[in-house]
Amino acid sequence: MNFQNERTITENGTCKSPVDIDLFLHYSLIPSVLIILALSFLERRINKTHFDDKIQLLDRRFGFVIPLDLLGTFNNRWTFGFAFGAIANKVMSLFSEEYLPVAVPSWARALGLLVGAIEVGLSYYPIFACLSTNSKIIGSLTGFLYTLTWFIVTMIYITSCPHGQVLGRFENVIFYWPSILCLAFLMGRFVHIFIKFIRILMGADLQNEETCFLPVHQAEHVKRLLRKPVQVQKSWFERKIYNWDPCFKFPSRMIGTTVLSLFCLYIFIILEYSVFATLTQLLDMCEEQMVQMAPDVTWEGYNQTVASFKEFSETFVGVWFFTTFFASAVTVSYIFHILVCYRKHMRRLWIGEKGFLPIKYHKPSSSKCVAAIARYSGWQVAYILWGYLILHIVQCLFGMAFAYAVVFPIKHGQAIIFLKGLGISILTIAIVIVLMALQDLLASRFFLQKKISPEDKKKPLALNNRKAFHNFNYFFFFYNVILGLGACLFRLLCSLILGSWLIARIDRTILQRGYESADMGYNTWIGMIYVDHYHTNPVLVSFCNILLTMSAEKRLKESPAYYTFSNTAGPPTSVKARTRWLLYYTLLKNPRLIIQRKLKEMDDVDLRNTATQSRLVQASVMEAEIRNNQERPIDVNCVEIRERRSIFI
C-alpha cells in the first residue's frame, strides 16, 4: 500500500493535498546540500594538507561532517533515537520500493534502490549533522529551521487530507503521528541546545565537556572492579527480568535502532491491518454472493457450504485479531530483549569469556566486523518486521487448526467424538513416553556397573550384563524404527515453531551447530559486538586513558615552560632515585629475589676482580717496556705509568 499517496478520501469525497511529500523530499536535497557545505566549512581538519599550503585563507576548513558516531558514542542517545524515529515513515517507504527511480531496468533494481536510499538519507542528513556538529549555535539554529520546515509540511499534508481510502477516518494521522512527535521533540532539543550555549557565551553557565576519551560510567565500572564485591539482595524483577546497571550504557546505535524498530513495527502493523481489511471485504463480498445465489441452487449441501464459509470467515477474523496482539507483544519483547542480550554478551567479552560463541567466531575477520557494524541497524529493523509477519502467519495457521480440531467439534455437538480422539492420542503419546522411560530405566538399573564411590552422583559409563544388553538392543531396534518416525516429525514441528518464533532474534542463530556461517544475521550480530568490544571495553579504554595522561604529563614536565612556571631548576625527583625506590619496593614485596640478587652481585664482583687483575698485568708489561726505552727520562715514564695504572684500576 502506498500510504503516502497524494489522493485521499474525506467524508464528502476526494481531496487533493496542497503539498506532495515525495516532491518535497526531492527538492529538500538543495537546502540539505547547502547546510552540509556550511557545516563542513565550520569543521577544521586535524592534519594539514598540500592544498592548505596553497590556500592559507581556508585555515584547514571544509572538514568531514559526521551525522552520528555509531561506533560507541554515549552522548545524546535519546535525541538521536528520536531522530531515527522521525525517518520511520521513509524507512517503510524504502521497504515498499516507493523511491525507486522511474524506468529502471530489472537488472539494475538493486542500484536504483541504492540511489533511492541515498536520496532519503541525504534529505535527513542535516538533522543528524546539526546535532553532532561542534558549532552548536549555528548547528542548533540551522537544525531547528530545517526540522521546523519538515514539521510544517507534514502538518499541512495531514490536516488538508486526514482521511484515507483504506483505514477511513484519520488514516494519515495514524500513520504520521510518530514522525510528528519526533520532529516536535527535535525542535525542542535544538532550542535547548541554542539557549544553553548562548548562556555559556554570556558567562551565565559553565561549559561541560561532553566529549571525553573516558566516559564517566566506564571509569565507574573500572573502579567497581578494583573494589571488593558487595552482595546486594535483588528483587524479583531484577533477578528475573532486568537488573539496571549504572555503570553500563547502551550506545546511540542501539537506542536509535530500538526506537526505529518500534515505530516501524507500529507502521507495519497498520499496513498489515489495511491488507487484512481489504481481504475481509473480499470475503464479505463472496459471502453475500453465495447467500444471494442460495435460493436459486437446488443442491442440498450448498446451504451447508455457505454456513461453513461464513463460519470460516468469522473464525479467521477472530484468530487474526487475537494473534495480532500476541505476535505484537512477542515482537516488542524481542526488541527489548535484544538490548538485554547485548549487555550480557558485552560483559562476557569484557572478561574474556567467548564460550557462548561458536569456536569459528573466536577470532573473526576484522573487515567483516567493520562491515557488520554498518549493516546491523538496517538489518535489525528488517529482521524485526519479517519476524513479526512470519510469526503472525504461523500463529494464524495454528489458531485455525486449533479451532477446527477443538472448538468446532465441541460447538457442533461432537464433544464425545473429540474427547474420544483426544483420549486415544494422549494414551498413545503416554505409552510412547513410558516405553522411552523404560529403556532409560533398564539401562540405568541392569546395564551399568555400580558406583565406584558412594559419594558419586552417577554411575560410571561401564557396561554390565553384556549378553542381556545385546538382546535388549536387538529387540528394541525394531520398535525404535517406528518410534524414530514420530520423533522425526516432532523434530520437524519443533523446528518450525522455534524457527518462526525466533526469526526476529538476530542475536542467536536458528541453524544447527556447524552451519552458523550461513546465518548472515547472526554473523552481523557477532561482528557488531566484537567491534564494540574492541572500541568500548572499559578496562582497555581506561588503560589507554592512563597512558595518554601519563604521556601528556611527561611532555609537560620535560618542557622548559613547566620549570619556569613552577620555579624549579629541574625535575623534582631524579631517575636514579625513582629506580632505587622501585627496586626497594619490589624486593620488599618479593623477598626471594634478594638471594638471587646477592648471587648475581657476587658473580659480578668476581668478574670485576678478574678484569682488574688482567688490567694490572697489562700495566706492568707497559711499565717494563717504557723502562727499556732510553729516549725519554725514567721519572716521566713513572708518572705516565701511574696515570695509566689508575685508569685501569
Side-chain angles (χ1 to χ4, degrees):
M1 170 190 166
N2 185 2
F3 58 90
Q4 289 182 346
N5 194 356
E6 183 182 359
R7 304 289 296 178
T8 55
I9 302 294
T10 61
E11 295 179 352
N12 299 326
T14 61
C15 77
K16 184 176 181 180
S17 176
V19 176
D20 187 355
I21 292 187
D22 294 337
L23 185 62
F24 178 78
L25 186 139
H26 298 320
Y27 282 110
S28 67
L29 298 180
I30 300 174
S32 177
V33 173
L34 296 178
I35 292 173
I36 294 172
L37 291 176
L39 294 177
S40 178
F41 177 77
L42 297 175
E43 293 288 336
R44 290 186 179 182
R45 288 173 276 107
I46 299 176
N47 299 323
K48 205 171 185 180
T49 60
H50 181 68
F51 181 76
D52 297 321
D53 296 334
K54 292 183 177 179
I55 306 177
Q56 298 181 357
L57 294 176
L58 293 179
D59 193 16
R60 293 178 295 165
R61 300 286 183 179
F62 289 103
F64 278 103
V65 179
I66 301 176
L68 174 62
D69 184 8
L70 293 174
L71 191 58
T73 180
F74 302 98
N75 298 323
N76 298 326
R77 297 178 300 163
W78 288 105
T79 302
F80 286 109
F82 278 94
F84 273 107
I87 63 175
N89 295 81
K90 304 303 177 184
V91 172
M92 295 303 300
S93 300
L94 292 175
F95 279 115
S96 61
E97 300 183 359
E98 183 175 343
Y99 293 103
L100 184 68
V102 184
V104 175
S106 300
W107 59 269
R109 290 180 64 87
L111 297 177
L113 292 175
L114 175 62
V115 173
I118 292 175
E119 181 182 12
V120 174
L122 189 61
S123 63
Y124 283 90
Y125 194 98
I127 297 178
F128 292 93
C130 291
L131 288 172
S132 59
T133 184
N134 294 325
S135 304
K136 296 297 182 181
I137 296 179
I138 298 178
S140 59
L141 183 60
T142 307
F144 175 79
L145 295 176
Y146 192 79
T147 307
L148 179 63
T149 304
W150 270 105
F151 181 83
I152 294 174
V153 170
T154 308
M155 287 297 295
I156 293 174
Y157 176 76
I158 294 175
T159 54
S160 60
C161 294
H163 311 298
Q165 296 177 344
V166 179
L167 299 181
R169 293 175 58 84
F170 305 108
E171 176 181 330
N172 287 333
V173 178
I174 295 174
F175 276 119
Y176 282 96
W177 75 261
S179 179
I180 292 295
L181 175 65
C182 294
L183 290 174
F185 177 85
L186 290 175
M187 287 190 297
R189 180 59 179 164
F190 281 124
V191 172
H192 176 264
I193 294 174
F194 181 79
I195 296 175
K196 177 182 177 181
F197 278 86
I198 288 295
R199 287 175 56 85
I200 291 174
L201 290 178
M202 295 175 62
D205 197 0
L206 297 177
Q207 182 176 3
N208 296 324
E209 187 65 26
E210 296 183 355
T211 58
C212 57
F213 186 80
L214 180 64
V216 178
H217 69 278
Q218 291 187 345
E220 293 296 329
H221 175 79
V222 177
K223 291 179 181 179
R224 187 173 60 182
L225 293 177
L226 299 176
R227 292 193 296 263
K228 184 178 180 180
V230 179
Q231 296 293 335
V232 180
Q233 187 176 2
K234 299 179 180 179
S235 62
W236 178 87
F237 184 84
E238 293 176 343
R239 286 186 281 105
K240 299 294 184 181
I241 300 179
Y242 185 76
N243 183 19
W244 180 71
D245 185 5
C247 299
F248 185 91
K249 286 186 178 181
F250 294 100
S252 301
R253 178 186 63 259
M254 300 301 298
I255 299 298
T257 304
T258 301
V259 175
L260 183 60
S261 299
L262 290 173
F263 286 155
C264 287
L265 178 63
Y266 166 78
I267 297 173
F268 189 81
I269 293 173
I270 299 300
L271 293 175
E272 187 190 33
Y273 176 77
S274 65
V275 176
F276 172 75
T278 304
L279 182 60
T280 52
Q281 290 177 2
L282 293 176
L283 292 176
D284 293 339
M285 292 174 59
C286 293
E287 182 181 349
E288 291 177 359
Q289 291 180 359
M290 294 176 68
V291 172
Q292 292 176 1
M293 294 174 59
D296 300 333
V297 178
T298 58
W299 181 37
E300 297 180 356
Y302 185 78
N303 293 330
Q304 186 177 0
T305 303
V306 174
S308 300
F309 184 82
K310 183 178 180 181
E311 190 177 46
F312 168 80
S313 178
E314 294 176 353
T315 305
F316 176 71
V317 172
V319 169
W320 188 90
F321 273 106
F322 176 77
T323 54
T324 297
F325 290 104
F326 189 69
S328 302
V330 172
T331 308
V332 171
S333 67
Y334 282 168
I335 294 175
F336 292 102
H337 186 70
I338 287 173
L339 295 177
V340 178
C341 291
Y342 173 82
R343 189 183 69 170
K344 180 173 62 176
H345 291 176
M346 291 301 298
R347 283 179 170 178
R348 290 180 177 180
L349 289 177
W350 287 350
I351 63 177
E353 180 185 348
K354 300 181 181 179
F356 67 97
L357 298 176
I359 299 177
K360 64 177 69 175
Y361 292 112
H362 287 187
K363 293 182 179 179
S365 173
S366 301
S367 59
K368 292 183 179 180
C369 290
V370 174
I373 199 171
R375 291 194 299 259
Y376 168 72
S377 297
W379 283 31
Q380 181 66 80
V381 176
Y383 270 66
I384 289 294
L385 298 181
W386 276 111
Y388 165 78
L389 180 61
I390 295 173
L391 179 62
H392 194 188
I393 292 174
V394 173
Q395 288 180 356
C396 284
L397 294 177
F398 277 98
M400 295 298 294
F402 178 80
Y404 275 94
V406 179
V407 178
F408 287 169
I410 298 176
K411 181 179 179 181
H412 296 158
Q414 300 177 353
I416 298 177
I417 300 175
F418 165 72
L419 293 176
K420 182 179 179 180
L422 181 62
I424 294 174
S425 302
I426 293 176
L427 181 61
T428 304
I429 295 174
I431 293 174
V432 170
I433 294 175
V434 168
L435 290 175
M436 292 177 62
L438 179 62
Q439 296 183 45
D440 297 336
L441 181 63
L442 292 175
S444 175
R445 293 276 183 171
F446 301 103
F447 302 130
L448 286 178
Q449 296 181 9
K450 297 181 179 180
K451 296 180 180 180
I452 300 175
S453 174
E455 299 178 355
D456 295 341
K457 296 182 180 180
K458 297 181 180 180
K459 293 182 178 180
L461 188 58
L463 290 176
N464 192 14
N465 301 323
R466 288 178 175 268
K467 293 183 178 181
F469 171 73
H470 293 316
N471 284 276
F472 166 81
N473 192 13
Y474 175 77
F475 285 107
F476 268 95
F477 163 75
F478 299 98
Y479 177 73
N480 288 329
V481 172
I482 304 174
L483 186 63
L485 179 62
C488 180
L489 295 177
F490 180 75
R491 181 187 184 186
L492 180 62
L493 181 63
C494 290
S495 300
L496 175 62
I497 295 175
L498 292 178
S500 61
W501 198 277
L502 300 176
I503 192 67
R505 293 283 300 276
I506 198 174
D507 60 295
R508 61 171 64 239
T509 180
I510 60 175
L511 302 180
Q512 296 180 355
R513 181 179 299 178
Y515 297 91
E516 297 91 352
S517 58
D519 192 345
M520 293 185 291
Y522 186 61
N523 296 336
T524 301
W525 171 266
I526 292 178
M528 184 268 297
I529 62 175
Y530 263 106
V531 173
D532 282 353
H533 165 58
Y534 279 104
H535 289 81
T536 62
N537 191 327
V539 178
L540 181 61
V541 175
S542 300
F543 176 73
C544 295
N545 182 52
I546 292 172
L547 290 181
L548 292 175
T549 304
M550 293 177 63
S551 177
E553 291 179 355
K554 185 178 180 180
R555 289 195 300 267
L556 178 62
K557 291 180 179 180
E558 291 177 354
S559 62
Y562 176 80
Y563 300 123
T564 304
F565 178 76
S566 58
N567 297 324
T568 56
T573 57
S574 63
V575 178
K576 186 176 182 180
R578 180 178 177 82
T579 304
R580 287 181 176 180
W581 165 251
L582 294 176
L583 176 61
Y584 168 75
Y585 186 80
T586 304
L587 295 177
L588 184 64
K589 295 294 183 180
N590 303 274
R592 294 183 179 180
L593 297 177
I594 299 176
I595 302 175
Q596 299 180 0
R597 179 174 174 79
K598 288 183 177 180
L599 295 176
K600 180 67 175 177
E601 289 178 353
M602 292 174 63
D603 295 338
D604 294 340
V605 170
D606 294 339
L607 291 175
R608 286 198 295 269
N609 293 336
T610 304
T612 303
Q613 292 177 2
S614 62
R615 290 174 180 175
L616 291 174
V617 171
Q618 293 178 1
S620 301
V621 172
M622 292 176 64
E623 183 178 358
E625 291 179 355
I626 293 173
R627 287 179 178 178
N628 293 330
N629 191 355
Q630 301 297 327
E631 296 181 356
R632 293 191 296 175
I634 295 177
D635 55 345
V636 177
N637 294 337
C638 292
V639 173
E640 184 177 359
I641 290 171
R642 294 192 193 97
E643 292 177 356
R644 293 194 178 187
R645 183 177 295 177
S646 63
I647 292 173
F648 283 118
I649 295 174

